Amino acid sequence: MTSDVQVLVRRGPDIAEWFDAVAGLRASVFRAFPYLYEGDAEYEKHYLATYARSAGSVLVLVLAGDEVVGASTGLPLGEAEPAFQAPFLDRGIPVEEVFYCGESVLLPAFRGQGLGHRFFDEREAHARSLGGIRWTSFASVNRASDDPRRPADYRGNDVFWTRRGYTRQPDMQVSLPWKQLGEAHESEQTLTMWLRPLEAGQ
C-alpha cells in the first residue's frame, strides 16, 4: 500500500459528513462492468442516508491526500432494504443475526494494494463488536460470462470472496431496478447473496 493512503473508519451518524465525496465516487465506479449503472450522485446520497440513520452502520474510507478514492459500507441486515432481507427470511435465518456488507468501490489506480481485504477486515470486526451477529453477507450482480459488455481484461472477484470464507448462495437472490448505461428506463437486475459464518476473533 502506498504511504500516502490513509484508511478511516466512521460509524452511524458520523457517516453523513462524507456523503458528497462517497456519493460521487460510487456514481463513477458503478458505471463500469459489472454494474453498468447510469446513476448520479444525488441518488447515491439518498441511498447512503440509510446508513447514517443506523447506529450500527460502518463506513470504511480510503483517502489519498484529501481525496476519497475508496469506500465500503455495512449495516445490520435488519436495517437494510427489505429486498435484501427477504432471501434470509425465506431461508429461516433471523435478520438480526446477519450483518450486510454493502458495496465496495475503489478507483482502479488503488486496486491490488490489499485494500479489498482491509474493507472486509474492518466490516467484519465492526460486525463482531455489535454482538449477536452470526453471519456476514453481501450481494453480487449476476452477469453472463459471455456478456458482450464484459471488458476483455475484466477479472471477477469470486476467487477473492471465496478465499475470504464467503460462499455463493444460488438460491438466495435479490431483484433490484436500475437504469443501465444506454437504457432509457430502469430494468430489473438480479443479484446473488454470498454468506460467511462470523467466527469470534477471526
Side-chain angles (χ1 to χ4, degrees):
M1 189 184 302
T2 56
S3 58
D4 63 337
V5 169
Q6 180 184 12
V7 177
L8 301 180
V9 180
R10 296 292 181 263
R11 297 174 176 85
D14 292 340
I15 290 171
E17 66 178 288
W18 297 94
F19 274 8
D20 288 346
V22 173
L25 177 68
R26 286 169 57 92
S28 173
V29 172
F30 285 157
R31 293 179 66 85
F33 191 88
Y35 284 95
L36 302 171
Y37 170 57
E38 182 100 44
D40 59 67
E42 286 304 313
Y43 176 85
E44 291 302 318
K45 282 192 281 188
H46 175 76
Y47 172 84
L48 290 166
T50 300
Y51 289 84
R53 290 192 295 267
S54 168
S57 66
V58 65
L59 170 66
V60 186
L61 296 155
V62 180
L63 276 67
D66 294 329
E67 180 186 6
V68 176
V69 299
S72 188
T73 55
L75 80 171
L77 182 63
E79 299 175 24
E81 295 180 44
F84 290 101
Q85 299 178 25
F88 293 87
L89 296 172
D90 291 344
R91 178 78 75 86
I93 299 175
V95 295
E96 61 269 18
E97 295 181 357
V98 182
F99 187 83
Y100 177 70
C101 295
E103 303 83 5
S104 295
V105 291
L106 187 64
L107 292 180
F110 297 88
R111 296 170 189 172
Q113 301 180 30
L115 291 165
H117 281 292
R118 184 68 179 274
F119 283 151
F120 275 103
D121 288 344
E122 295 290 354
R123 290 180 297 179
E124 290 164 4
H126 176 75
R128 289 188 194 94
S129 75
L130 298 176
I133 301 294
R134 298 183 56 200
W135 305 91
T136 51
S137 183
F138 64 89
S140 67
V141 64
N142 295 352
R143 296 295 185 202
S145 59
D146 61 351
D147 191 312
R149 301 166 298 180
R150 182 187 181 102
D153 60 350
Y154 175 75
R155 293 177 59 189
N157 290 314
D158 289 27
V159 172
F160 168 70
W161 293 328
T162 300
R163 288 176 177 168
R164 289 287 316 187
Y166 288 86
T167 303
R168 189 173 186 271
Q169 308 293 318
D171 62 327
M172 298 178 69
Q173 298 200 342
V174 179
S175 182
L176 296 176
W178 70 73
K179 189 165 71 171
Q180 298 186 101
L181 294 177
E183 290 186 346
H185 304 286
E186 291 184 341
S187 57
E188 291 291 325
Q189 307 299 317
T190 304
L191 301 91
T192 298
M193 305 304 298
W194 291 65
L195 195 59
R196 177 192 189 276
L198 188 68
E199 301 89 349
Q202 295 184 16

